Amino acid sequence: MEVPKKFVAEPFGYHEELELEIESLTNMALGVARYGEDDWVVLVPHCLPGERVRARIFRNEKNCSHADLIEVIRDSPDRVEPKCKLFGQCGGCQYQNLKYEKQLEIKTAQVAELLQHMADLTLEVNPAIASPQQWGYRSKITPHFDRPRDGKIGPIGFQKNGRGRQLIDVYHCPIAMDEINDALPKIREEVHATARYAKKGVTLLLRVSEGKVITDNRMIATEHVDGQKFDFLAGEFFQNNP
């Protein structure tokens, strides 16, 4: 086993395995565990509060360590089966393995925690508002592809979970609106046919506007929310869950 050159060997060795009790989740859905007498923080993806897991260390930092999940020894009663087959590989979603009601509780608590840590404000936070649609709600996605090599491109999609700039191919996204998933195969085909002309990596736009998919950042998109009409450039920010 080759140890990375920049690996810091304290407090754990490279690929050292630990059994951990997950206490909470970060706002990026990393499980937080505390290990040893000094309560050293270890962050582990894809696990839930209340679970006991086995994890393998891959990085030590000044105030915490990062580990890959090997096995869930004791499941949380709030664990559910993710709907997307790419969950855990694709970095686009973090909470699909958690009951929706519990997601809302955790996100509400995270807002209160951030107010405390970032602004020293202890305030009562209103409960997160549930979405009427848990799937097929997202009106915009922005898949990427890297610079062509030998006239061809690799994956068209999103960054792999925890793996920096590596991309994973995305053919269908369960949280995106049906219009986007209907348009995505043809757009992927067109991109593969023309991407050899790209001189660098490209971010694509697919935004739903009044039942149609816009791919041009400069076009005007329209959204209707609570009786109000909003017109804006398709490439600009607008809440992705109408």
Side-chain angles (χ1 to χ4, degrees):
M1 178 182 62
E2 185 177 349
V3 178
K5 291 181 180 179
K6 295 184 179 181
F7 180 76
V8 177
E10 293 292 337
F12 305 111
Y14 186 67
H15 278 190
E16 182 174 343
E17 294 187 7
L18 307 173
E19 282 198 15
L20 303 165
E21 294 279 344
I22 304 301
E23 298 179 0
S24 59
L25 294 181
T26 70
N27 61 344
M28 292 302 292
L30 294 173
V32 179
R34 300 183 185 275
Y35 189 85
E37 295 181 358
D38 58 352
D39 283 339
W40 184 259
V41 172
V42 183
L43 302 176
V44 189
H46 316 314
C47 47
L48 303 176
E51 292 187 331
R52 186 166 184 82
V53 304
R54 191 162 82 251
R56 181 183 291 128
I57 298 294
F58 68 86
R59 186 167 68 243
N60 294 310
E61 297 184 351
K62 290 182 179 179
N63 58 353
C64 69
S65 296
H66 293 259
D68 288 319
L69 177 65
I70 300 174
E71 176 189 9
V72 177
I73 299 169
R74 185 185 66 238
D75 284 351
S76 165
D78 297 315
R79 179 175 284 276
V80 295
E81 189 68 25
K83 186 169 183 176
C84 181
K85 65 180 182 180
L86 297 179
F87 179 77
Q89 302 174 59
C90 176
C93 293
Q94 292 82 34
Y95 291 96
Q96 282 193 26
N97 59 347
L98 180 62
K99 285 180 181 177
Y100 186 60
E101 296 78 11
K102 197 66 178 179
Q103 291 182 33
L104 299 176
E105 289 180 24
I106 287 177
K107 291 176 182 180
T108 301
Q110 286 171 348
V111 173
E113 183 179 341
L114 285 169
L115 285 170
Q116 175 63 47
H117 287 314
M118 302 298 288
D120 197 24
L121 293 173
T122 302
L123 299 172
E124 184 177 349
V125 175
N126 292 339
I129 299 172
S131 173
Q133 263 180 259
Q134 296 177 35
W135 307 100
Y137 63 83
R138 190 177 176 92
S139 61
K140 171 192 171 188
I141 65 169
T142 53
H144 320 274
F145 65 85
D146 287 335
R147 181 173 62 86
R149 296 180 182 275
D150 300 322
K152 296 181 179 180
I153 61 171
I156 302 173
F158 305 112
Q159 290 187 16
K160 284 188 177 181
N161 191 15
R163 292 296 180 266
R165 278 292 303 157
Q166 292 183 45
L167 297 179
I168 186 168
D169 247 332
V170 175
Y171 297 87
H172 180 273
C173 180
I175 66 172
M177 288 182 172
D178 290 341
E179 292 92 333
I180 288 175
N181 284 313
D182 290 343
L184 190 55
K186 184 178 180 180
I187 289 173
R188 286 177 54 88
E189 184 180 334
E190 292 172 349
V191 168
H192 275 291
T194 60
R196 63 183 179 276
Y197 300 112
K199 296 182 179 180
K200 58 182 181 179
V202 174
T203 297
L204 306 173
L205 170 70
L206 286 81
R207 184 189 281 282
V208 177
S209 174
E210 299 192 305
K212 297 181 180 180
V213 175
I214 293 175
T215 58
D216 186 339
N217 287 303
R218 297 162 296 182
M219 287 187 66
I220 297 296
T222 299
E223 192 66 78
H224 299 271
V225 181
D226 196 24
Q228 299 296 318
K229 179 184 177 185
F230 296 87
D231 293 322
F232 53 94
L233 290 176
E236 292 182 343
F237 174 79
F238 193 88
Q239 180 56 252
N240 291 321
N241 186 346

CSV table of all heavy atoms in Angstrom, one decimal, residues 139-141 179-180 183 187 204-222 232-235:
chain,number,residue,atom,x,y,z
A,139,SER,N,-35.5,22.7,-11.0
A,139,SER,CA,-35.7,23.4,-12.3
A,139,SER,C,-34.5,23.7,-13.0
A,139,SER,O,-34.5,24.1,-14.2
A,139,SER,CB,-36.5,24.7,-12.1
A,139,SER,OG,-35.8,25.6,-11.3
A,140,LYS,N,-33.3,23.4,-12.5
A,140,LYS,CA,-32.1,23.7,-13.1
A,140,LYS,C,-31.0,22.7,-12.7
A,140,LYS,O,-30.8,22.4,-11.6
A,140,LYS,CB,-31.6,25.1,-12.8
A,140,LYS,CG,-30.2,25.5,-13.2
A,140,LYS,CD,-29.8,26.8,-12.6
A,140,LYS,CE,-28.3,27.1,-12.8
A,140,LYS,NZ,-27.8,28.2,-12.0
A,141,ILE,N,-30.2,22.2,-13.7
A,141,ILE,CA,-29.0,21.5,-13.4
A,141,ILE,C,-27.9,22.0,-14.3
A,141,ILE,O,-28.1,22.6,-15.4
A,141,ILE,CB,-29.1,20.0,-13.6
A,141,ILE,CG1,-29.4,19.6,-15.1
A,141,ILE,CG2,-30.2,19.4,-12.7
A,141,ILE,CD1,-29.3,18.1,-15.4
A,179,GLU,N,-39.0,17.5,-17.4
A,179,GLU,CA,-38.6,18.2,-18.7
A,179,GLU,C,-37.0,18.1,-18.9
A,179,GLU,O,-36.6,17.9,-20.0
A,179,GLU,CB,-39.0,19.6,-18.7
A,179,GLU,CG,-40.5,19.9,-18.7
A,179,GLU,CD,-41.1,20.0,-17.3
A,179,GLU,OE1,-40.6,19.4,-16.4
A,179,GLU,OE2,-42.2,20.6,-17.2
A,180,ILE,N,-36.3,18.2,-17.8
A,180,ILE,CA,-34.8,18.1,-17.9
A,180,ILE,C,-34.4,16.7,-18.2
A,180,ILE,O,-33.6,16.5,-19.1
A,180,ILE,CB,-34.2,18.6,-16.5
A,180,ILE,CG1,-34.3,20.1,-16.4
A,180,ILE,CG2,-32.7,18.1,-16.5
A,180,ILE,CD1,-33.8,20.6,-15.1
A,183,ALA,N,-35.0,15.9,-21.8
A,183,ALA,CA,-34.1,16.6,-22.8
A,183,ALA,C,-32.7,16.1,-22.7
A,183,ALA,O,-31.9,16.3,-23.6
A,183,ALA,CB,-34.2,18.1,-22.5
A,187,ILE,N,-29.3,16.1,-25.5
A,187,ILE,CA,-28.3,17.1,-25.2
A,187,ILE,C,-27.0,16.5,-25.0
A,187,ILE,O,-25.9,16.9,-25.6
A,187,ILE,CB,-28.7,18.0,-24.0
A,187,ILE,CG1,-29.9,18.9,-24.4
A,187,ILE,CG2,-27.5,18.8,-23.5
A,187,ILE,CD1,-30.4,19.7,-23.2
A,204,LEU,N,-22.6,23.0,-18.7
A,204,LEU,CA,-23.8,23.1,-19.5
A,204,LEU,C,-24.9,23.7,-18.6
A,204,LEU,O,-24.8,23.6,-17.4
A,204,LEU,CB,-24.2,21.8,-20.0
A,204,LEU,CG,-23.2,21.0,-20.8
A,204,LEU,CD1,-23.7,19.6,-21.1
A,204,LEU,CD2,-22.8,21.8,-22.1
A,205,LEU,N,-25.9,24.2,-19.2
A,205,LEU,CA,-27.1,24.7,-18.5
A,205,LEU,C,-28.4,24.0,-19.0
A,205,LEU,O,-28.6,23.9,-20.2
A,205,LEU,CB,-27.3,26.2,-18.7
A,205,LEU,CG,-28.6,26.8,-18.2
A,205,LEU,CD1,-28.7,26.8,-16.7
A,205,LEU,CD2,-28.8,28.2,-18.7
A,206,LEU,N,-29.2,23.5,-18.1
A,206,LEU,CA,-30.5,23.0,-18.5
A,206,LEU,C,-31.5,23.6,-17.4
A,206,LEU,O,-31.4,23.2,-16.3
A,206,LEU,CB,-30.6,21.5,-18.4
A,206,LEU,CG,-30.0,20.7,-19.5
A,206,LEU,CD1,-28.5,20.5,-19.3
A,206,LEU,CD2,-30.6,19.3,-19.6
A,207,ARG,N,-32.3,24.5,-17.9
A,207,ARG,CA,-33.2,25.2,-16.9
A,207,ARG,C,-34.6,25.2,-17.5
A,207,ARG,O,-34.8,25.5,-18.7
A,207,ARG,CB,-32.8,26.7,-16.7
A,207,ARG,CG,-33.8,27.3,-15.7
A,207,ARG,CD,-33.5,28.8,-15.6
A,207,ARG,NE,-32.4,29.2,-14.8
A,207,ARG,CZ,-32.4,29.2,-13.4
A,207,ARG,NH1,-33.4,28.8,-12.7
A,207,ARG,NH2,-31.3,29.6,-12.8
A,208,VAL,N,-35.6,24.8,-16.7
A,208,VAL,CA,-37.0,24.7,-17.1
A,208,VAL,C,-37.6,26.1,-17.0
A,208,VAL,O,-37.5,26.7,-16.0
A,208,VAL,CB,-37.8,23.7,-16.3
A,208,VAL,CG1,-39.2,23.7,-16.7
A,208,VAL,CG2,-37.1,22.3,-16.5
A,209,SER,N,-38.2,26.5,-18.1
A,209,SER,CA,-39.0,27.8,-18.1
A,209,SER,C,-40.3,27.5,-18.8
A,209,SER,O,-40.3,27.3,-20.0
A,209,SER,CB,-38.2,28.8,-18.8
A,209,SER,OG,-38.9,30.0,-18.9
A,210,GLU,N,-41.4,27.6,-18.0
A,210,GLU,CA,-42.7,27.4,-18.6
A,210,GLU,C,-42.8,26.2,-19.4
A,210,GLU,O,-43.4,26.2,-20.6
A,210,GLU,CB,-43.2,28.7,-19.3
A,210,GLU,CG,-43.2,29.9,-18.4
A,210,GLU,CD,-43.9,31.1,-19.0
A,210,GLU,OE1,-43.4,31.5,-20.1
A,210,GLU,OE2,-44.8,31.6,-18.4
A,211,GLY,N,-42.3,25.1,-18.9
A,211,GLY,CA,-42.5,23.8,-19.6
A,211,GLY,C,-41.4,23.4,-20.6
A,211,GLY,O,-41.4,22.3,-21.2
A,212,LYS,N,-40.5,24.4,-20.9
A,212,LYS,CA,-39.5,24.1,-21.9
A,212,LYS,C,-38.1,24.2,-21.2
A,212,LYS,O,-37.9,24.9,-20.2
A,212,LYS,CB,-39.6,25.1,-23.0
A,212,LYS,CG,-40.9,25.1,-23.8
A,212,LYS,CD,-40.9,26.1,-24.9
A,212,LYS,CE,-42.2,26.0,-25.7
A,212,LYS,NZ,-42.2,27.0,-26.8
A,213,VAL,N,-37.1,23.6,-21.9
A,213,VAL,CA,-35.8,23.6,-21.3
A,213,VAL,C,-34.9,24.6,-22.1
A,213,VAL,O,-34.8,24.5,-23.3
A,213,VAL,CB,-35.1,22.2,-21.4
A,213,VAL,CG1,-33.7,22.2,-20.9
A,213,VAL,CG2,-35.9,21.2,-20.6
A,214,ILE,N,-34.3,25.5,-21.3
A,214,ILE,CA,-33.4,26.5,-21.9
A,214,ILE,C,-32.0,26.1,-21.6
A,214,ILE,O,-31.6,25.6,-20.5
A,214,ILE,CB,-33.7,27.9,-21.2
A,214,ILE,CG1,-35.1,28.4,-21.6
A,214,ILE,CG2,-32.6,28.9,-21.6
A,214,ILE,CD1,-35.4,29.7,-20.8
A,215,THR,N,-31.1,26.2,-22.7
A,215,THR,CA,-29.7,25.9,-22.5
A,215,THR,C,-28.8,27.1,-22.7
A,215,THR,O,-27.6,26.9,-22.7
A,215,THR,CB,-29.4,24.8,-23.5
A,215,THR,OG1,-29.6,25.2,-24.9
A,215,THR,CG2,-30.2,23.5,-23.3
A,216,ASP,N,-29.4,28.2,-23.0
A,216,ASP,CA,-28.6,29.5,-23.3
A,216,ASP,C,-28.7,30.4,-22.0
A,216,ASP,O,-29.8,30.8,-21.6
A,216,ASP,CB,-29.2,30.2,-24.5
A,216,ASP,CG,-28.3,31.4,-24.9
A,216,ASP,OD1,-27.6,31.9,-24.1
A,216,ASP,OD2,-28.5,31.8,-26.1
A,217,ASN,N,-27.5,30.6,-21.4
A,217,ASN,CA,-27.5,31.5,-20.3
A,217,ASN,C,-28.1,32.9,-20.4
A,217,ASN,O,-28.6,33.5,-19.5
A,217,ASN,CB,-26.0,31.7,-19.8
A,217,ASN,CG,-25.4,30.5,-19.2
A,217,ASN,OD1,-25.8,30.0,-18.2
A,217,ASN,ND2,-24.3,30.0,-19.8
A,218,ARG,N,-28.1,33.4,-21.7
A,218,ARG,CA,-28.5,34.7,-21.9
A,218,ARG,C,-30.0,34.8,-22.2
A,218,ARG,O,-30.5,36.0,-22.3
A,218,ARG,CB,-27.7,35.3,-23.1
A,218,ARG,CG,-26.2,35.4,-22.9
A,218,ARG,CD,-25.5,35.6,-24.1
A,218,ARG,NE,-25.6,34.4,-25.0
A,218,ARG,CZ,-25.0,34.2,-26.2
A,218,ARG,NH1,-24.2,35.2,-26.6
A,218,ARG,NH2,-25.2,33.1,-26.9
A,219,MET,N,-30.7,33.7,-22.4
A,219,MET,CA,-32.1,33.8,-22.6
A,219,MET,C,-32.9,34.1,-21.3
A,219,MET,O,-32.4,33.9,-20.2
A,219,MET,CB,-32.6,32.4,-23.1
A,219,MET,CG,-32.2,32.1,-24.6
A,219,MET,SD,-33.0,30.6,-25.2
A,219,MET,CE,-34.7,31.1,-25.3
A,220,ILE,N,-34.1,34.7,-21.5
A,220,ILE,CA,-34.9,35.0,-20.4
A,220,ILE,C,-35.7,33.8,-19.9
A,220,ILE,O,-36.4,33.2,-20.7
A,220,ILE,CB,-35.9,36.2,-20.7
A,220,ILE,CG1,-35.1,37.4,-21.1
A,220,ILE,CG2,-36.8,36.4,-19.5
A,220,ILE,CD1,-34.3,38.0,-19.9
A,221,ALA,N,-35.6,33.5,-18.7
A,221,ALA,CA,-36.4,32.4,-18.1
A,221,ALA,C,-37.5,33.0,-17.2
A,221,ALA,O,-37.4,34.2,-16.7
A,221,ALA,CB,-35.5,31.5,-17.2
A,222,THR,N,-38.6,32.3,-17.1
A,222,THR,CA,-39.8,32.8,-16.4
A,222,THR,C,-40.2,31.8,-15.3
A,222,THR,O,-40.2,30.6,-15.6
A,222,THR,CB,-41.0,33.1,-17.3
A,222,THR,OG1,-40.6,34.1,-18.3
A,222,THR,CG2,-42.2,33.6,-16.5
A,232,PHE,N,-35.9,36.5,-15.5
A,232,PHE,CA,-34.5,36.6,-15.2
A,232,PHE,C,-33.7,35.9,-16.2
A,232,PHE,O,-34.2,35.0,-17.0
A,232,PHE,CB,-34.2,36.1,-13.8
A,232,PHE,CG,-34.7,34.7,-13.6
A,232,PHE,CD1,-33.9,33.6,-13.8
A,232,PHE,CD2,-36.0,34.4,-13.2
A,232,PHE,CE1,-34.3,32.3,-13.6
A,232,PHE,CE2,-36.5,33.1,-13.1
A,232,PHE,CZ,-35.6,32.0,-13.3
A,233,LEU,N,-32.4,36.2,-16.3
A,233,LEU,CA,-31.5,35.5,-17.3
A,233,LEU,C,-31.4,34.1,-16.8
A,233,LEU,O,-31.2,33.8,-15.6
A,233,LEU,CB,-30.2,36.2,-17.3
A,233,LEU,CG,-30.1,37.6,-18.0
A,233,LEU,CD1,-28.7,38.2,-17.9
A,233,LEU,CD2,-30.6,37.5,-19.5
A,234,ALA,N,-31.4,33.2,-17.7
A,234,ALA,CA,-31.4,31.7,-17.4
A,234,ALA,C,-30.2,31.3,-16.6
A,234,ALA,O,-30.2,30.4,-15.8
A,234,ALA,CB,-31.6,30.9,-18.7
A,235,GLY,N,-29.1,32.0,-16.9
A,235,GLY,CA,-27.8,31.7,-16.2
A,235,GLY,C,-27.7,32.3,-14.8
A,235,GLY,O,-26.7,31.9,-14.1
